[in-house]
Amino acid sequence: MNRLSTSRTTRRSRTALACLATAAFGLMTSAAHAARPDFQMPFACNQTWYGDTYEGHGLRYAVDLNHKPRPLSNADLGSPVVASAKGKATTYNPHPGTGYGKLVVIDHGGGWTSWYAHLDSISVANGANVAQGQKIGTLGKTTRPGNEGMSAHLHFEQRLNNASQKIVWNGSTIVYDKYEVAYKSRNSCGTTPPGGAPGTVRTSGSSLNVRAGPGTSYSAVGSLANGASVNIRCQKVGETVSGTYGTSNLWNNIAPAGSNKYIPDVYTFTGSDGRVAPDC
């Protein structure tokens, strides 16, 4: 649950202090067992994330996720987090009495829930129904007072009747008791999640111009700050530009259908080197 930039031993000991017994949580659902939902990774299609699991990690089968392997940092802060499966969201800002910080819990029915902890922000209303792949928040490092030394990461759990379960996504159980295991998301591949595929503006610190078309010759129709979250409705080939993520002619439409607002894909963190949305 708690990712620290110090040694693994220190992280584990401080993690154990940060988490309380599962009995403290009241999200008990039906006692009747039900088929496991078709869980996917809590990140957009084709993104690769690295998972850490270890004994003493709060709930035994939880996983900590970062976009890149060590050294741990706050580079992932603000990255979009999406629903692992459809369900009804309960939000906590923060979760009381624990180290979970800002938390979203999604009830998938039949006793199954998924937990998304330490969020930097929450993007859904309490009690809202969410679709698989829908953005529910951004990755963060929120916790309780006195435990602020951890680095940004997503602490993720799957539970059945409030009991921790081995995590399964895309039909496969994740690897346990190992660090830096790479996983590639298949969440909503082939479809665009409601509101668009999530992305984050990444520049050297300056604002990014939003253009009326896929090129710098189009008029500027606004700007976005470094770290701003966007929803990519569709993508279009246009002018080739160089930016944070190399050189590409792919541009991201971040406007509702019928509008033209584009930013270069090379300034957009999506977790994928390829397309994340259909052609415009």
Side-chain angles (χ1 to χ4, degrees):
M1 175 178 184
N2 194 0
R3 297 286 298 275
L4 300 179
S5 55
T6 55
S7 69
R8 293 175 183 172
T9 301
T10 302
R11 178 177 60 211
R12 292 179 186 178
S13 62
R14 291 184 67 179
T15 296
L17 293 174
C19 300
L20 298 180
T22 60
F25 305 110
L27 283 172
M28 295 296 291
T29 54
S30 170
H33 285 210
R36 183 189 296 268
D38 179 25
F39 287 118
Q40 298 293 328
M41 287 184 67
F43 301 104
C45 176
N46 288 328
Q47 291 188 5
T48 297
W49 288 75
Y50 292 82
D52 287 355
T53 57
Y54 49 91
E55 292 186 25
H57 182 195
L59 272 78
R60 177 66 180 92
Y61 297 130
V63 63
D64 285 345
L65 292 157
N66 280 96
H67 181 57
K68 294 182 178 180
R70 286 177 179 75
L72 301 180
S73 68
N74 292 320
D76 298 330
L77 186 68
S79 299
V81 176
V82 306
S84 183
K86 68 179 182 179
K88 184 176 182 179
T90 300
T91 63
Y92 301 89
N93 187 21
H95 192 278
T98 72
Y100 279 80
K102 294 181 180 180
L103 171 72
V104 173
V105 179
I106 301 178
D107 186 342
H108 307 285
W112 287 98
T113 55
S114 55
W115 296 58
Y116 312 75
H118 305 316
L119 297 175
D120 186 61
S121 64
I122 295 172
S123 305
V124 292
N126 187 46
N129 291 318
V130 297
Q132 186 176 63
Q134 180 177 341
K135 181 180 176 182
I136 59 171
T138 57
L139 185 147
K141 55 178 182 175
T142 57
T143 181
R144 63 182 175 185
N147 197 43
E148 294 89 351
M150 68 181 182
S151 59
H153 68 283
L154 177 69
H155 172 95
F156 177 76
E157 302 170 12
Q158 292 173 357
R159 299 190 189 185
L160 176 60
N161 298 322
N162 213 35
S164 180
Q165 304 293 306
K166 286 188 175 181
I167 291 169
V168 174
W169 46 50
N170 199 34
S172 298
T173 304
I174 68 170
V175 177
Y176 277 93
D177 299 323
K178 193 170 182 179
Y179 292 88
E180 301 179 7
V181 179
Y183 302 99
K184 190 171 185 178
S185 178
R186 291 291 179 263
N187 195 327
S188 300
C189 290
T191 64
T192 302
T200 306
V201 173
R202 296 295 189 205
T203 68
S204 59
S206 57
S207 295
L208 178 67
N209 282 329
V210 179
R211 300 286 179 175
T216 57
S217 62
Y218 291 87
S219 61
V221 292
S223 64
L224 292 169
N226 179 40
S229 295
V230 296
N231 291 313
I232 303 168
R233 182 181 64 84
C234 60
Q235 295 176 295
K236 190 171 186 176
V237 171
E239 179 186 354
T240 298
V241 296
S242 297
T244 305
Y245 300 107
T247 300
S248 174
N249 61 358
L250 193 62
W251 288 70
N252 301 325
N253 186 304
I254 59 170
S259 300
N260 290 320
K261 291 184 178 180
Y262 288 87
I263 58 174
D265 190 62
V266 292
Y267 286 108
T268 316
F269 171 78
T270 62
S272 173
D273 291 331
R275 290 177 175 269
V276 296
D279 288 338
C280 294

